[in-house]
Amino acid sequence: MPELPEVETVARQLEPRLVGTSVVRFQVLDPLLASGPLPRIAGRTVLHVGRSGKQVLIGFSPLSPGDGALWLAVHLRMTGRLIWADPGARTARRHLRARFRLDRGRLLFYDTRRFGTMRWAPSAEHVRPAGLDPLSPALGGRRLRRLLAGSTQPLKSWLLRQDRLVGLGNIYASEILHAAGLSPWRAAGTLDGREIERLLRSTRAVLRKAIRNCGTTFSDFQDADGLTGSYQRYLEVYGREGQPCPRCGAEVARAVQQQRSTFYCPGCQR
Ligand SMILES: [Zn+2]
């Protein structure tokens, strides 16, 4: 499932291609995506492409002066992919759920399992996730302390909650806790000031390095060019059960928390 770095990768690749293009036509091919009447989209120009939590956010111009802007939030969920196609490029029809024809190419939304969503909104605020973005400058040590305060949840489960920090899933939660040298079972509200600083620094470092490497690909994730990420080469614990920890040499272990695998090092995450 794409997490924050994978969604950021897609948004960064789409941004230079989409900004300034005009929509010729927008078509929904999967009735699951058409829950209500669609706003008028043809004729608008793309003004903004970015990431909001785990969503790719696209901002469109008003159709006429005085008319409102329009925003689209695409949540890729399990298997969604936003693929850019140059004019004339051959593209697959299988699993295609929606399609933008633009004056400079096409933007295609593929999704094998069909859990992905497209939400249209009058402003970016309307689709802002509940949690704070871990890469936002608004997140500092004091803010993180407030978010953690009083929580008796194990740290790993706390990191997966999307209403505290947004965008972390199973892969990066395991990697961040390993980088911070914190046990996945530690009660989130018991971290002291230095541990909170370590958690914050590790979160940012792991996410930034993953973004530089275009995310992690195991089976489904593809970027906007249909290519895979390469951060899996740098994973220190995730998927490495039985292999030596790169930091202390102890054997990486796997445990199940909330029905999901947690990978950790019993040597340096006590
Ligand atoms: Zn270790």
Side-chain angles (χ1 to χ4, degrees):
M1 174 179 305
E3 301 180 31
L4 185 155
E6 290 76 44
V7 178
E8 179 76 25
T9 296
V10 171
R12 287 186 182 188
Q13 291 175 333
L14 290 177
E15 205 245 350
R17 285 147 167 174
L18 289 182
V19 169
T21 59
S22 308
V23 181
V24 178
R25 191 172 178 211
F26 173 70
Q27 283 173 287
V28 172
L29 305 160
D30 178 356
L32 263 185
L33 281 181
S35 53
L38 279 175
R40 254 189 73 193
I41 301 154
R44 294 180 191 262
T45 299
V46 176
L47 299 180
H48 170 94
V49 179
R51 178 183 60 79
S52 176
K54 280 207 254 187
Q55 310 169 106
V56 175
L57 190 63
I58 304 175
F60 298 88
S61 67
L63 278 169
S64 57
D67 176 38
L70 180 67
W71 292 79
L72 169 64
V74 182
H75 204 308
L76 303 172
R77 302 280 176 201
M78 302 285 287
T79 55
R81 286 172 295 145
L82 281 172
I83 300 285
W84 171 262
D86 285 325
R90 288 182 62 119
T91 53
R93 277 302 296 259
R94 200 165 142 82
H95 306 306
L96 181 61
R97 300 183 68 196
R99 167 171 56 202
F100 286 91
R101 285 187 193 285
L102 303 152
D103 56 359
R104 284 192 230 141
R106 282 164 295 155
L107 177 64
L108 307 167
F109 182 43
Y110 290 97
D111 191 358
T112 320
R113 296 186 63 182
R114 300 168 74 202
F115 291 129
T117 55
M118 290 183 129
R119 286 159 74 201
W120 298 91
S123 78
E125 291 300 310
H126 279 80
V127 289
R128 187 187 291 279
L132 193 60
D133 197 289
L135 294 180
S136 157
L139 181 66
R142 252 194 286 172
R143 187 80 181 270
L144 184 55
R145 177 191 290 271
R146 280 211 304 277
L147 290 173
L148 289 161
S151 172
T152 55
Q153 266 188 313
L155 265 179
K156 164 79 181 324
S157 314
W158 188 90
L159 286 177
L160 297 182
R161 302 175 60 140
Q162 300 298 305
D163 63 340
R164 292 297 185 269
L165 297 183
V166 72
L168 304 178
N170 222 29
I171 297 175
Y172 297 108
S174 285
E175 290 299 311
I176 287 165
L177 290 177
H178 177 258
L182 292 166
S183 160
W185 289 275
R186 179 75 179 277
T190 65
L191 266 53
D192 66 25
R194 278 168 54 190
E195 290 169 324
I196 289 172
E197 282 300 327
R198 243 158 58 208
L199 179 61
L200 184 61
R201 274 202 310 274
S202 303
T203 301
R204 292 203 176 121
V206 165
L207 294 176
R208 286 190 180 132
K209 186 169 177 189
I211 290 168
R212 284 200 301 277
N213 288 281
C214 299
T216 304
T217 300
F218 283 106
S219 54
D220 293 309
F221 171 66
Q222 291 182 339
D223 65 18
D225 293 317
L227 301 174
T228 56
S230 60
Y231 189 69
Q232 56 274 21
R233 281 188 273 156
Y234 302 99
L235 296 173
E236 301 203 324
V237 284
Y238 188 86
R240 296 189 70 249
E241 185 183 6
Q243 297 178 53
C245 164
R247 189 162 50 204
C248 76
E251 222 173 74
V252 171
R254 185 182 79 93
V256 176
Q257 282 180 295
Q258 289 185 310
Q259 292 103 47
R260 308 190 63 189
S261 289
T262 294
F263 294 90
Y264 67 104
C265 171
C268 58
Q269 290 177 266
R270 289 171 189 275

